[in-house]
Structures are given as structure tokens and as C-alpha cells.
Amino acid sequence: EDQVTQSPEALRLQEGESSSLNCSYTVSGLRGLFWYRQDPGKGPEFLFTLYSAGEEKEKERLKATLTKKESFLHITAPKPEDSATYLCAGSFGNEKLTFGTGTRLTIIP
Amino acid sequence: GAVVSQHPSWVICKSGTSVKIECRSLDFQATTMFWYRQFPKQSLMLMATSNEGSKATYEQGVEKDKFLINHASLTLSTLTVTSAHPEDSSFYICSARDRETGRTEAFFGQGTRLTVV
């Protein structure tokens, strides 16, 4: 069964304190790795797609990277408005996405 | 990015009644749409895959007679929760993928909070 696991479950950072979120996945058959941001009571907002090991994507304070067994979402000098739940999902050869349980990120002013 | 609109944003219904949720792709055609449910502080669980012009494919454990899905056009899919009960209360989210552009990421609606009383 395809699996996607995220850690930590929750993370509290001071404003400006950089950190990384982890997403590990079933190694075989990954076609794409996706990162989303979800605010309370809202649907997920697409951030990045990664396809191959070594690939990196960047947007403002966020950078996503992919290795052969995991992906990282690096957040540099975060601001309170970056507080949200960050979800990663994998596509394993069909149209479905398998989601991790998310990391609840809180940035303290 | 592509826009997916979901309606209503929230609904409260009485136990035993049916509720319809709409999912529209506003600026692209979606031959495939997906329906998820999400419980508090949990991740998205895929319920079914909706294909335009054909029957939906349901995930294991999802009752197809309870969660009716219709995908009658390239821009609209609907989920009807029939004979709703309090345990059906959840956050329902749809997503769509624009296959014509070859983009593989999915774009999500804003979600529908269903409360059954």
C-alpha cells in the first residue's frame, strides 16, 4: 500500500526561525510529490510539484526538495502568516493522491 | 492557478435528509474530479473518483448508495449525501485535474462543512 508520512505532527517556531518539514514516502512507483498549504476551514492550496530526486522548487520563503525517499519543505525566516497546516501527497502511478497527515505549523510573533 | 469552486461552503441539515454539494472547475475542463472527506485534525481521505460521462469509482469502505456522485459535464461534479446522519458530519473537499494541459497537480475547492443534526 502506498504511504506518505509527515513529521513532525506540529511545529511551533518563533518568527524568523527557519526550519524544515519532512515527508517520507513509499519508494517504489512515485510519479510526483506535491505540497499543499491548508488554512483552517479551507481547501488545500497548491504549492509545489516535484518529480525527480534532486529537484527543487522555491516560492517566497518556501523551498521544496526531493530525494529518493523523502521530501523536505524548508521555510526560511517565517512570518506569522505562514502559520497553516502543510500537506504533502504522492502520486503512485494512477490519478489518485495519497496524503500525509500534515504538519501543523505555528509561527509565533 | 486553476480555480475550483465548491458550493455551499457550509450546510446544516436534519438527520435523514439529503444534501447536494457542487464542485465546478471555473477556467478549465476537468475530465476527472475527486471527492475527499476530512475529519478534524486529520488528513484528506479519498472517497471517490468522478469521471465525466461515466460512473464514479469509490474507495473501499465508501458506500456508493449513500454518497451519490454525478459528473454530467466537463466542469461540474456533484456529491449527494443521502439520508444523512450525524456521523456524516465532516468537511468535504473536491479537487480537479486539468488533463488537457498535462499538469498533474490537483486544484482544490474551498471545502464544504456539513453538519447533520
Side-chain angles (χ1 to χ4, degrees), chain A residues 6 34 36 38 41-46 48-49 51 87-88 91 94-97 99-102 104, chain B residues 32 34 36 38 41-44 46 49 51 59 91 93 97 99 104-111 113:
Chain A
Q6 289 188 249
F34 306 86
Y36 295 87
Q38 186 177 26
K42 303 289 185 183
E45 174 191 345
F46 170 74
F48 303 110
T49 306
Y51 291 107
L87 300 167
C88 76
S91 173
N94 54 39
E95 293 183 302
K96 303 177 188 179
L97 292 180
F99 279 86
T101 51
R104 211 162 48 253
Chain B
T32 304
F34 305 88
Y36 297 83
Q38 185 178 33
K41 296 189 178 181
Q42 294 188 22
S43 193
L44 282 72
L46 181 65
T49 302
N51 295 294
E59 295 300 299
F91 193 54
I93 310 173
R97 185 172 285 159
R99 297 184 66 183
T104 56
E105 62 270 27
F107 297 95
F108 287 80
Q110 63 267 47
R113 170 74 58 196

mmCIF file of all heavy atoms in Angstrom, chain A residues 6 34 36 38 41-46 48-49 51 87-88 91 94-97 99-102 104, chain B residues 32 34 36 38 41-44 46 49 51 59 91 93 97 99 104-111 113:
data_model
loop_
_atom_site.group_PDB
_atom_site.id
_atom_site.type_symbol
_atom_site.label_atom_id
_atom_site.label_comp_id
_atom_site.label_asym_id
_atom_site.label_seq_id
_atom_site.Cartn_x
_atom_site.Cartn_y
_atom_site.Cartn_z
ATOM 1 N N GLN A 6 4.293 12.218 7.291
ATOM 2 C CA GLN A 6 4.835 13.542 7.551
ATOM 3 C C GLN A 6 5.260 13.689 9.002
ATOM 4 O O GLN A 6 4.657 13.144 9.905
ATOM 5 C CB GLN A 6 3.799 14.618 7.230
ATOM 6 C CG GLN A 6 3.532 14.784 5.751
ATOM 7 C CD GLN A 6 2.650 15.968 5.461
ATOM 8 O OE1 GLN A 6 1.495 15.815 5.046
ATOM 9 N NE2 GLN A 6 3.195 17.172 5.649
ATOM 10 N N PHE A 34 3.690 16.206 -4.118
ATOM 11 C CA PHE A 34 3.015 17.501 -4.108
ATOM 12 C C PHE A 34 2.983 18.079 -2.705
ATOM 13 O O PHE A 34 2.774 17.349 -1.732
ATOM 14 C CB PHE A 34 1.573 17.344 -4.608
ATOM 15 C CG PHE A 34 1.479 16.671 -5.949
ATOM 16 C CD1 PHE A 34 1.446 15.286 -6.042
ATOM 17 C CD2 PHE A 34 1.430 17.414 -7.110
ATOM 18 C CE1 PHE A 34 1.368 14.652 -7.276
ATOM 19 C CE2 PHE A 34 1.351 16.799 -8.345
ATOM 20 C CZ PHE A 34 1.322 15.415 -8.422
ATOM 21 N N TYR A 36 1.049 21.077 -0.361
ATOM 22 C CA TYR A 36 -0.095 21.976 -0.269
ATOM 23 C C TYR A 36 -0.072 22.681 1.075
ATOM 24 O O TYR A 36 0.433 22.158 2.066
ATOM 25 C CB TYR A 36 -1.423 21.213 -0.371
ATOM 26 C CG TYR A 36 -1.665 20.555 -1.707
ATOM 27 C CD1 TYR A 36 -1.185 19.277 -1.980
ATOM 28 C CD2 TYR A 36 -2.397 21.211 -2.697
ATOM 29 C CE1 TYR A 36 -1.409 18.682 -3.211
ATOM 30 C CE2 TYR A 36 -2.633 20.615 -3.924
ATOM 31 C CZ TYR A 36 -2.130 19.357 -4.163
ATOM 32 O OH TYR A 36 -2.365 18.754 -5.382
ATOM 33 N N GLN A 38 -2.811 24.301 3.833
ATOM 34 C CA GLN A 38 -4.238 24.329 4.160
ATOM 35 C C GLN A 38 -4.469 25.205 5.382
ATOM 36 O O GLN A 38 -3.903 24.963 6.451
ATOM 37 C CB GLN A 38 -4.788 22.919 4.418
ATOM 38 C CG GLN A 38 -6.293 22.905 4.617
ATOM 39 C CD GLN A 38 -6.866 21.524 4.795
ATOM 40 O OE1 GLN A 38 -6.180 20.603 5.240
ATOM 41 N NE2 GLN A 38 -8.130 21.348 4.429
ATOM 42 N N GLY A 41 -10.504 25.447 7.902
ATOM 43 C CA GLY A 41 -11.793 25.617 7.245
ATOM 44 C C GLY A 41 -11.707 25.873 5.756
ATOM 45 O O GLY A 41 -12.707 26.249 5.137
ATOM 46 N N LYS A 42 -10.533 25.650 5.166
ATOM 47 C CA LYS A 42 -10.352 25.889 3.730
ATOM 48 C C LYS A 42 -9.829 24.633 3.046
ATOM 49 O O LYS A 42 -9.313 23.728 3.693
ATOM 50 C CB LYS A 42 -9.343 27.019 3.499
ATOM 51 C CG LYS A 42 -9.695 28.332 4.176
ATOM 52 C CD LYS A 42 -10.867 28.997 3.512
ATOM 53 C CE LYS A 42 -11.127 30.366 4.124
ATOM 54 N NZ LYS A 42 -12.334 31.008 3.538
ATOM 55 N N GLY A 43 -9.958 24.611 1.730
ATOM 56 C CA GLY A 43 -9.370 23.528 0.969
ATOM 57 C C GLY A 43 -7.876 23.736 0.804
ATOM 58 O O GLY A 43 -7.363 24.839 1.000
ATOM 59 N N PRO A 44 -7.139 22.687 0.471
ATOM 60 C CA PRO A 44 -5.695 22.820 0.270
ATOM 61 C C PRO A 44 -5.359 23.747 -0.904
ATOM 62 O O PRO A 44 -6.031 23.725 -1.930
ATOM 63 C CB PRO A 44 -5.253 21.386 -0.034
ATOM 64 C CG PRO A 44 -6.303 20.520 0.549
ATOM 65 C CD PRO A 44 -7.578 21.292 0.359
ATOM 66 N N GLU A 45 -4.301 24.509 -0.710
ATOM 67 C CA GLU A 45 -3.802 25.408 -1.749
ATOM 68 C C GLU A 45 -2.514 24.830 -2.294
ATOM 69 O O GLU A 45 -1.563 24.582 -1.552
ATOM 70 C CB GLU A 45 -3.557 26.795 -1.161
ATOM 71 C CG GLU A 45 -2.895 27.780 -2.106
ATOM 72 C CD GLU A 45 -2.429 29.043 -1.384
ATOM 73 O OE1 GLU A 45 -2.863 29.269 -0.236
ATOM 74 O OE2 GLU A 45 -1.609 29.784 -1.952
ATOM 75 N N PHE A 46 -2.464 24.626 -3.609
ATOM 76 C CA PHE A 46 -1.293 24.018 -4.232
ATOM 77 C C PHE A 46 -0.060 24.894 -4.074
ATOM 78 O O PHE A 46 -0.112 26.113 -4.272
ATOM 79 C CB PHE A 46 -1.574 23.776 -5.718
ATOM 80 C CG PHE A 46 -0.362 23.385 -6.507
ATOM 81 C CD1 PHE A 46 0.173 22.116 -6.376
ATOM 82 C CD2 PHE A 46 0.245 24.278 -7.364
ATOM 83 C CE1 PHE A 46 1.302 21.749 -7.092
ATOM 84 C CE2 PHE A 46 1.364 23.928 -8.083
ATOM 85 C CZ PHE A 46 1.891 22.660 -7.948
ATOM 86 N N PHE A 48 3.701 23.196 -4.605
ATOM 87 C CA PHE A 48 4.775 22.699 -5.458
ATOM 88 C C PHE A 48 4.483 21.279 -5.954
ATOM 89 O O PHE A 48 3.796 20.518 -5.286
ATOM 90 C CB PHE A 48 6.110 22.613 -4.684
ATOM 91 C CG PHE A 48 6.563 23.890 -4.065
ATOM 92 C CD1 PHE A 48 6.537 24.047 -2.682
ATOM 93 C CD2 PHE A 48 7.047 24.935 -4.837
ATOM 94 C CE1 PHE A 48 6.973 25.219 -2.096
ATOM 95 C CE2 PHE A 48 7.475 26.112 -4.249
ATOM 96 C CZ PHE A 48 7.442 26.252 -2.876
ATOM 97 N N THR A 49 5.077 20.960 -7.103
ATOM 98 C CA THR A 49 5.159 19.593 -7.591
ATOM 99 C C THR A 49 6.623 19.259 -7.831
ATOM 100 O O THR A 49 7.364 20.051 -8.429
ATOM 101 C CB THR A 49 4.409 19.412 -8.924
ATOM 102 O OG1 THR A 49 3.073 19.872 -8.792
ATOM 103 C CG2 THR A 49 4.411 17.959 -9.334
ATOM 104 N N TYR A 51 9.163 15.993 -9.216
ATOM 105 C CA TYR A 51 9.070 14.738 -9.957
ATOM 106 C C TYR A 51 10.263 13.816 -9.779
ATOM 107 O O TYR A 51 10.122 12.593 -9.840
ATOM 108 C CB TYR A 51 8.900 15.022 -11.452
ATOM 109 C CG TYR A 51 7.567 15.637 -11.807
ATOM 110 C CD1 TYR A 51 7.461 16.978 -12.173
ATOM 111 C CD2 TYR A 51 6.407 14.868 -11.783
ATOM 112 C CE1 TYR A 51 6.243 17.538 -12.502
ATOM 113 C CE2 TYR A 51 5.177 15.420 -12.116
ATOM 114 C CZ TYR A 51 5.106 16.756 -12.473
ATOM 115 O OH TYR A 51 3.888 17.293 -12.790
ATOM 116 N N LEU A 87 0.541 20.046 3.875
ATOM 117 C CA LEU A 87 0.265 18.671 3.489
ATOM 118 C C LEU A 87 1.166 18.262 2.339
ATOM 119 O O LEU A 87 1.382 19.051 1.421
ATOM 120 C CB LEU A 87 -1.191 18.522 3.035
ATOM 121 C CG LEU A 87 -2.289 18.870 4.042
ATOM 122 C CD1 LEU A 87 -3.635 18.975 3.326
ATOM 123 C CD2 LEU A 87 -2.370 17.805 5.119
ATOM 124 N N CYS A 88 1.658 17.053 2.387
ATOM 125 C CA CYS A 88 2.302 16.519 1.205
ATOM 126 C C CYS A 88 1.481 15.329 0.714
ATOM 127 O O CYS A 88 0.749 14.699 1.476
ATOM 128 C CB CYS A 88 3.757 16.133 1.429
ATOM 129 S SG CYS A 88 4.018 14.607 2.328
ATOM 130 N N SER A 91 1.725 10.807 -5.790
ATOM 131 C CA SER A 91 1.011 10.146 -6.881
ATOM 132 C C SER A 91 1.823 8.923 -7.257
ATOM 133 O O SER A 91 3.012 9.032 -7.569
ATOM 134 C CB SER A 91 0.882 11.097 -8.072
ATOM 135 O OG SER A 91 0.337 10.423 -9.179
ATOM 136 N N ASN A 94 -1.252 6.217 -10.605
ATOM 137 C CA ASN A 94 -2.627 6.402 -11.042
ATOM 138 C C ASN A 94 -2.999 7.844 -10.785
ATOM 139 O O ASN A 94 -2.157 8.655 -10.430
ATOM 140 C CB ASN A 94 -3.571 5.420 -10.330
ATOM 141 C CG ASN A 94 -3.440 5.499 -8.825
ATOM 142 O OD1 ASN A 94 -3.280 6.574 -8.272
ATOM 143 N ND2 ASN A 94 -3.499 4.351 -8.175
ATOM 144 N N GLU A 95 -4.246 8.166 -10.965
ATOM 145 C CA GLU A 95 -4.631 9.568 -10.826
ATOM 146 C C GLU A 95 -4.820 9.991 -9.384
ATOM 147 O O GLU A 95 -4.975 11.174 -9.097
ATOM 148 C CB GLU A 95 -5.929 9.811 -11.590
ATOM 149 C CG GLU A 95 -5.777 9.669 -13.091
ATOM 150 C CD GLU A 95 -7.066 9.998 -13.795
ATOM 151 O OE1 GLU A 95 -8.079 9.345 -13.510
ATOM 152 O OE2 GLU A 95 -7.059 10.912 -14.629
ATOM 153 N N LYS A 96 -4.796 9.040 -8.456
ATOM 154 C CA LYS A 96 -5.104 9.365 -7.074
ATOM 155 C C LYS A 96 -3.913 9.997 -6.379
ATOM 156 O O LYS A 96 -2.763 9.759 -6.734
ATOM 157 C CB LYS A 96 -5.474 8.098 -6.312
ATOM 158 C CG LYS A 96 -6.622 7.319 -6.893
ATOM 159 C CD LYS A 96 -6.839 6.044 -6.082
ATOM 160 C CE LYS A 96 -7.838 5.142 -6.739
ATOM 161 N NZ LYS A 96 -8.022 3.901 -5.953
ATOM 162 N N LEU A 97 -4.218 10.797 -5.378
ATOM 163 C CA LEU A 97 -3.197 11.334 -4.492
ATOM 164 C C LEU A 97 -3.333 10.681 -3.127
ATOM 165 O O LEU A 97 -4.436 10.553 -2.602
ATOM 166 C CB LEU A 97 -3.359 12.851 -4.337
ATOM 167 C CG LEU A 97 -3.077 13.711 -5.567
ATOM 168 C CD1 LEU A 97 -3.280 15.179 -5.230
ATOM 169 C CD2 LEU A 97 -1.673 13.474 -6.086
ATOM 170 N N PHE A 99 -2.374 11.285 0.653
ATOM 171 C CA PHE A 99 -1.953 12.382 1.508
ATOM 172 C C PHE A 99 -1.318 11.907 2.800
ATOM 173 O O PHE A 99 -1.713 10.885 3.363
ATOM 174 C CB PHE A 99 -3.150 13.277 1.860
ATOM 175 C CG PHE A 99 -3.508 14.254 0.779
ATOM 176 C CD1 PHE A 99 -4.348 13.880 -0.259
ATOM 177 C CD2 PHE A 99 -2.992 15.533 0.805
ATOM 178 C CE1 PHE A 99 -4.666 14.785 -1.259
ATOM 179 C CE2 PHE A 99 -3.306 16.445 -0.195
ATOM 180 C CZ PHE A 99 -4.143 16.058 -1.228
ATOM 181 N N GLY A 100 -0.346 12.683 3.276
ATOM 182 C CA GLY A 100 0.141 12.519 4.628
ATOM 183 C C GLY A 100 -0.813 13.200 5.585
ATOM 184 O O GLY A 100 -1.787 13.850 5.175
ATOM 185 N N THR A 101 -0.536 13.066 6.859
ATOM 186 C CA THR A 101 -1.431 13.616 7.873
ATOM 187 C C THR A 101 -1.181 15.094 8.143
ATOM 188 O O THR A 101 -1.936 15.724 8.872
ATOM 189 C CB THR A 101 -1.318 12.842 9.187
ATOM 190 O OG1 THR A 101 0.058 12.745 9.542
ATOM 191 C CG2 THR A 101 -1.893 11.438 9.045
ATOM 192 N N GLY A 102 -0.125 15.633 7.562
ATOM 193 C CA GLY A 102 0.107 17.067 7.663
ATOM 194 C C GLY A 102 0.978 17.472 8.836
ATOM 195 O O GLY A 102 1.131 16.734 9.816
ATOM 196 N N ARG A 104 1.219 20.753 11.344
ATOM 197 C CA ARG A 104 0.556 21.994 11.777
ATOM 198 C C ARG A 104 1.637 22.972 12.215
ATOM 199 O O ARG A 104 2.277 22.779 13.243
ATOM 200 C CB ARG A 104 -0.401 21.669 12.906
ATOM 201 C CG ARG A 104 -1.620 22.528 13.009
ATOM 202 C CD ARG A 104 -2.719 21.898 13.857
ATOM 203 N NE ARG A 104 -2.276 21.374 15.119
ATOM 204 C CZ ARG A 104 -2.166 20.071 15.397
ATOM 205 N NH1 ARG A 104 -2.458 19.172 14.493
ATOM 206 N NH2 ARG A 104 -1.775 19.687 16.584
ATOM 207 N N THR B 32 -11.708 14.535 -14.847
ATOM 208 C CA THR B 32 -11.677 13.776 -13.597
ATOM 209 C C THR B 32 -11.726 14.726 -12.410
ATOM 210 O O THR B 32 -10.991 15.705 -12.369
ATOM 211 C CB THR B 32 -10.399 12.919 -13.490
ATOM 212 O OG1 THR B 32 -10.307 12.072 -14.638
ATOM 213 C CG2 THR B 32 -10.424 12.070 -12.231
ATOM 214 N N PHE B 34 -12.197 14.594 -7.935
ATOM 215 C CA PHE B 34 -12.023 13.732 -6.787
ATOM 216 C C PHE B 34 -12.788 14.305 -5.591
ATOM 217 O O PHE B 34 -12.833 15.515 -5.395
ATOM 218 C CB PHE B 34 -10.541 13.622 -6.413
ATOM 219 C CG PHE B 34 -9.657 13.176 -7.549
ATOM 220 C CD1 PHE B 34 -9.109 14.099 -8.429
ATOM 221 C CD2 PHE B 34 -9.384 11.830 -7.742
ATOM 222 C CE1 PHE B 34 -8.311 13.702 -9.480
ATOM 223 C CE2 PHE B 34 -8.575 11.417 -8.788
ATOM 224 C CZ PHE B 34 -8.038 12.348 -9.660
ATOM 225 N N TYR B 36 -13.103 14.142 -1.409
ATOM 226 C CA TYR B 36 -12.442 13.754 -0.173
ATOM 227 C C TYR B 36 -13.326 14.140 1.014
ATOM 228 O O TYR B 36 -14.146 15.041 0.921
ATOM 229 C CB TYR B 36 -11.114 14.501 -0.009
ATOM 230 C CG TYR B 36 -10.066 14.230 -1.056
ATOM 231 C CD1 TYR B 36 -10.070 14.891 -2.284
ATOM 232 C CD2 TYR B 36 -9.029 13.335 -0.818
ATOM 233 C CE1 TYR B 36 -9.101 14.657 -3.238
ATOM 234 C CE2 TYR B 36 -8.035 13.094 -1.766
ATOM 235 C CZ TYR B 36 -8.086 13.762 -2.967
ATOM 236 O OH TYR B 36 -7.104 13.533 -3.902
ATOM 237 N N GLN B 38 -12.623 15.039 5.279
ATOM 238 C CA GLN B 38 -11.558 15.323 6.226
ATOM 239 C C GLN B 38 -12.167 15.543 7.598
ATOM 240 O O GLN B 38 -12.987 16.450 7.775
ATOM 241 C CB GLN B 38 -10.771 16.563 5.781
ATOM 242 C CG GLN B 38 -9.559 16.872 6.638
ATOM 243 C CD GLN B 38 -8.791 18.085 6.130
ATOM 244 O OE1 GLN B 38 -9.361 19.014 5.597
ATOM 245 N NE2 GLN B 38 -7.472 18.056 6.281
ATOM 246 N N LYS B 41 -8.430 17.691 12.358
ATOM 247 C CA LYS B 41 -7.013 17.413 12.601
ATOM 248 C C LYS B 41 -6.557 16.113 11.932
ATOM 249 O O LYS B 41 -5.560 15.522 12.355
ATOM 250 C CB LYS B 41 -6.718 17.393 14.099
ATOM 251 C CG LYS B 41 -6.953 18.744 14.757
ATOM 252 C CD LYS B 41 -6.451 18.768 16.182
ATOM 253 C CE LYS B 41 -6.660 20.157 16.771
ATOM 254 N NZ LYS B 41 -6.155 20.253 18.161
ATOM 255 N N GLN B 42 -7.256 15.694 10.917
ATOM 256 C CA GLN B 42 -6.840 14.532 10.155
ATOM 257 C C GLN B 42 -6.610 14.916 8.703
ATOM 258 O O GLN B 42 -6.973 16.015 8.271
ATOM 259 C CB GLN B 42 -7.879 13.420 10.254
ATOM 260 C CG GLN B 42 -8.031 12.848 11.646
ATOM 261 C CD GLN B 42 -8.929 11.628 11.667
ATOM 262 O OE1 GLN B 42 -9.121 10.962 10.652
ATOM 263 N NE2 GLN B 42 -9.488 11.328 12.823
ATOM 264 N N SER B 43 -6.020 14.018 7.958
ATOM 265 C CA SER B 43 -5.714 14.349 6.578
ATOM 266 C C SER B 43 -6.907 14.044 5.673
ATOM 267 O O SER B 43 -7.952 13.607 6.123
ATOM 268 C CB SER B 43 -4.491 13.568 6.118
ATOM 269 O OG SER B 43 -4.013 14.094 4.900
ATOM 270 N N LEU B 44 -6.721 14.310 4.417
ATOM 271 C CA LEU B 44 -7.772 14.079 3.437
ATOM 272 C C LEU B 44 -7.852 12.598 3.095
ATOM 273 O O LEU B 44 -6.833 11.982 2.782
ATOM 274 C CB LEU B 44 -7.498 14.867 2.158
ATOM 275 C CG LEU B 44 -7.813 16.358 2.165
ATOM 276 C CD1 LEU B 44 -6.825 17.133 3.002
ATOM 277 C CD2 LEU B 44 -7.846 16.897 0.743
ATOM 278 N N LEU B 46 -9.542 10.050 0.426
ATOM 279 C CA LEU B 46 -10.249 9.978 -0.850
ATOM 280 C C LEU B 46 -11.482 9.108 -0.717
ATOM 281 O O LEU B 46 -11.408 7.985 -0.205
ATOM 282 C CB LEU B 46 -9.318 9.419 -1.927
ATOM 283 C CG LEU B 46 -9.903 9.294 -3.322
ATOM 284 C CD1 LEU B 46 -10.227 10.673 -3.896
ATOM 285 C CD2 LEU B 46 -8.928 8.552 -4.247
ATOM 286 N N THR B 49 -13.514 8.779 -7.099
ATOM 287 C CA THR B 49 -13.022 9.458 -8.299
ATOM 288 C C THR B 49 -14.178 9.573 -9.271
ATOM 289 O O THR B 49 -14.842 8.576 -9.587
ATOM 290 C CB THR B 49 -11.875 8.666 -8.927
ATOM 291 O OG1 THR B 49 -10.832 8.518 -7.963
ATOM 292 C CG2 THR B 49 -11.337 9.383 -10.156
ATOM 293 N N ASN B 51 -15.575 10.573 -12.934
ATOM 294 C CA ASN B 51 -15.180 10.735 -14.327
ATOM 295 C C ASN B 51 -16.362 11.218 -15.161
ATOM 296 O O ASN B 51 -17.458 10.669 -15.053
ATOM 297 C CB ASN B 51 -14.671 9.405 -14.888
ATOM 298 C CG ASN B 51 -13.402 8.951 -14.192
ATOM 299 O OD1 ASN B 51 -12.362 9.581 -14.309
ATOM 300 N ND2 ASN B 51 -13.491 7.868 -13.466
ATOM 301 N N GLU B 59 -13.783 4.394 -3.277
ATOM 302 C CA GLU B 59 -12.742 3.749 -2.485
ATOM 303 C C GLU B 59 -13.374 2.702 -1.562
ATOM 304 O O GLU B 59 -14.579 2.753 -1.248
ATOM 305 C CB GLU B 59 -11.982 4.773 -1.652
ATOM 306 C CG GLU B 59 -11.203 5.760 -2.497
ATOM 307 C CD GLU B 59 -10.154 5.072 -3.371
ATOM 308 O OE1 GLU B 59 -9.243 4.418 -2.823
ATOM 309 O OE2 GLU B 59 -10.252 5.210 -4.611
ATOM 310 N N PHE B 91 -15.924 17.575 6.836
ATOM 311 C CA PHE B 91 -15.507 18.579 5.864
ATOM 312 C C PHE B 91 -15.290 17.839 4.546
ATOM 313 O O PHE B 91 -14.444 16.944 4.471
ATOM 314 C CB PHE B 91 -14.225 19.248 6.360
ATOM 315 C CG PHE B 91 -13.837 20.501 5.627
ATOM 316 C CD1 PHE B 91 -14.731 21.546 5.489
ATOM 317 C CD2 PHE B 91 -12.564 20.653 5.096
ATOM 318 C CE1 PHE B 91 -14.370 22.713 4.823
ATOM 319 C CE2 PHE B 91 -12.196 21.819 4.444
ATOM 320 C CZ PHE B 91 -13.095 22.846 4.299
ATOM 321 N N ILE B 93 -14.308 17.908 0.545
ATOM 322 C CA ILE B 93 -13.496 18.718 -0.366
ATOM 323 C C ILE B 93 -13.418 18.030 -1.722
ATOM 324 O O ILE B 93 -13.238 16.807 -1.781
ATOM 325 C CB ILE B 93 -12.059 18.907 0.164
ATOM 326 C CG1 ILE B 93 -12.059 19.379 1.621
ATOM 327 C CG2 ILE B 93 -11.290 19.899 -0.689
ATOM 328 C CD1 ILE B 93 -10.675 19.413 2.252
ATOM 329 N N ARG B 97 -8.376 17.958 -11.832
ATOM 330 C CA ARG B 97 -7.097 17.974 -12.529
ATOM 331 C C ARG B 97 -7.323 18.322 -13.992
ATOM 332 O O ARG B 97 -8.178 17.742 -14.643
ATOM 333 C CB ARG B 97 -6.434 16.610 -12.392
ATOM 334 C CG ARG B 97 -5.055 16.521 -12.976
ATOM 335 C CD ARG B 97 -4.442 15.188 -12.607
ATOM 336 N NE ARG B 97 -4.011 15.156 -11.219
ATOM 337 C CZ ARG B 97 -3.822 14.027 -10.535
ATOM 338 N NH1 ARG B 97 -4.045 12.873 -11.090
ATOM 339 N NH2 ARG B 97 -3.401 14.074 -9.294
ATOM 340 N N ARG B 99 -6.332 17.808 -17.243
ATOM 341 C CA ARG B 99 -5.501 16.866 -18.007
ATOM 342 C C ARG B 99 -5.121 17.414 -19.383
ATOM 343 O O ARG B 99 -4.124 16.990 -19.949
ATOM 344 C CB ARG B 99 -6.242 15.551 -18.160
ATOM 345 C CG ARG B 99 -6.503 14.872 -16.832
ATOM 346 C CD ARG B 99 -7.136 13.536 -17.026
ATOM 347 N NE ARG B 99 -6.228 12.604 -17.688
ATOM 348 C CZ ARG B 99 -6.552 11.385 -18.032
ATOM 349 N NH1 ARG B 99 -7.771 10.942 -17.808
ATOM 350 N NH2 ARG B 99 -5.702 10.596 -18.610
ATOM 351 N N THR B 104 -0.184 17.767 -13.654
ATOM 352 C CA THR B 104 -0.593 16.653 -12.808
ATOM 353 C C THR B 104 -1.068 17.088 -11.436
ATOM 354 O O THR B 104 -1.665 16.295 -10.723
ATOM 355 C CB THR B 104 0.566 15.657 -12.639
ATOM 356 O OG1 THR B 104 1.704 16.350 -12.114
ATOM 357 C CG2 THR B 104 0.932 15.032 -13.966
ATOM 358 N N GLU B 105 -0.788 18.315 -11.060
ATOM 359 C CA GLU B 105 -1.254 18.697 -9.732
ATOM 360 C C GLU B 105 -2.761 18.879 -9.734
ATOM 361 O O GLU B 105 -3.376 19.144 -10.756
ATOM 362 C CB GLU B 105 -0.581 19.991 -9.256
ATOM 363 C CG GLU B 105 -0.859 21.205 -10.113
ATOM 364 C CD GLU B 105 0.165 21.367 -11.210
ATOM 365 O OE1 GLU B 105 0.755 20.359 -11.645
ATOM 366 O OE2 GLU B 105 0.390 22.503 -11.653
ATOM 367 N N ALA B 106 -3.340 18.699 -8.566
ATOM 368 C CA ALA B 106 -4.778 18.852 -8.414
ATOM 369 C C ALA B 106 -5.084 20.178 -7.731
ATOM 370 O O ALA B 106 -4.349 20.618 -6.873
ATOM 371 C CB ALA B 106 -5.350 17.702 -7.590
ATOM 372 N N PHE B 107 -6.159 20.775 -8.147
ATOM 373 C CA PHE B 107 -6.602 22.022 -7.552
ATOM 374 C C PHE B 107 -7.882 21.761 -6.768
ATOM 375 O O PHE B 107 -8.757 21.040 -7.224
ATOM 376 C CB PHE B 107 -6.811 23.081 -8.638
ATOM 377 C CG PHE B 107 -5.534 23.404 -9.352
ATOM 378 C CD1 PHE B 107 -5.210 22.764 -10.532
ATOM 379 C CD2 PHE B 107 -4.651 24.317 -8.822
ATOM 380 C CE1 PHE B 107 -4.018 23.037 -11.189
ATOM 381 C CE2 PHE B 107 -3.449 24.597 -9.465
ATOM 382 C CZ PHE B 107 -3.138 23.954 -10.651
ATOM 383 N N PHE B 108 -7.935 22.352 -5.590
ATOM 384 C CA PHE B 108 -8.989 22.023 -4.660
ATOM 385 C C PHE B 108 -10.022 23.127 -4.519
ATOM 386 O O PHE B 108 -9.694 24.314 -4.629
ATOM 387 C CB PHE B 108 -8.382 21.727 -3.282
ATOM 388 C CG PHE B 108 -7.672 20.409 -3.223
ATOM 389 C CD1 PHE B 108 -6.390 20.261 -3.713
ATOM 390 C CD2 PHE B 108 -8.311 19.296 -2.687
ATOM 391 C CE1 PHE B 108 -5.739 19.048 -3.674
ATOM 392 C CE2 PHE B 108 -7.663 18.070 -2.644
ATOM 393 C CZ PHE B 108 -6.379 17.945 -3.133
ATOM 394 N N GLY B 109 -11.238 22.707 -4.246
ATOM 395 C CA GLY B 109 -12.267 23.653 -3.862
ATOM 396 C C GLY B 109 -12.040 24.098 -2.426
ATOM 397 O O GLY B 109 -11.158 23.598 -1.737
ATOM 398 N N GLN B 110 -12.881 25.038 -1.992
ATOM 399 C CA GLN B 110 -12.692 25.607 -0.653
ATOM 400 C C GLN B 110 -13.284 24.741 0.445
ATOM 401 O O GLN B 110 -13.130 25.037 1.621
ATOM 402 C CB GLN B 110 -13.277 27.014 -0.582
ATOM 403 C CG GLN B 110 -14.785 27.087 -0.790
ATOM 404 C CD GLN B 110 -15.156 27.335 -2.247
ATOM 405 O OE1 GLN B 110 -14.633 26.693 -3.162
ATOM 406 N NE2 GLN B 110 -16.059 28.263 -2.467
ATOM 407 N N GLY B 111 -13.953 23.653 0.047
ATOM 408 C CA GLY B 111 -14.492 22.736 1.039
ATOM 409 C C GLY B 111 -15.913 23.077 1.457
ATOM 410 O O GLY B 111 -16.362 24.219 1.341
ATOM 411 N N ARG B 113 -18.426 22.384 4.805
ATOM 412 C CA ARG B 113 -18.588 21.873 6.159
ATOM 413 C C ARG B 113 -20.028 21.393 6.308
ATOM 414 O O ARG B 113 -20.959 22.186 6.259
ATOM 415 C CB ARG B 113 -18.299 22.976 7.181
ATOM 416 C CG ARG B 113 -18.661 22.630 8.618
ATOM 417 C CD ARG B 113 -17.679 21.652 9.216
ATOM 418 N NE ARG B 113 -16.313 22.174 9.195
ATOM 419 C CZ ARG B 113 -15.233 21.420 9.374
ATOM 420 N NH1 ARG B 113 -15.358 20.131 9.590
ATOM 421 N NH2 ARG B 113 -14.036 21.963 9.343
#
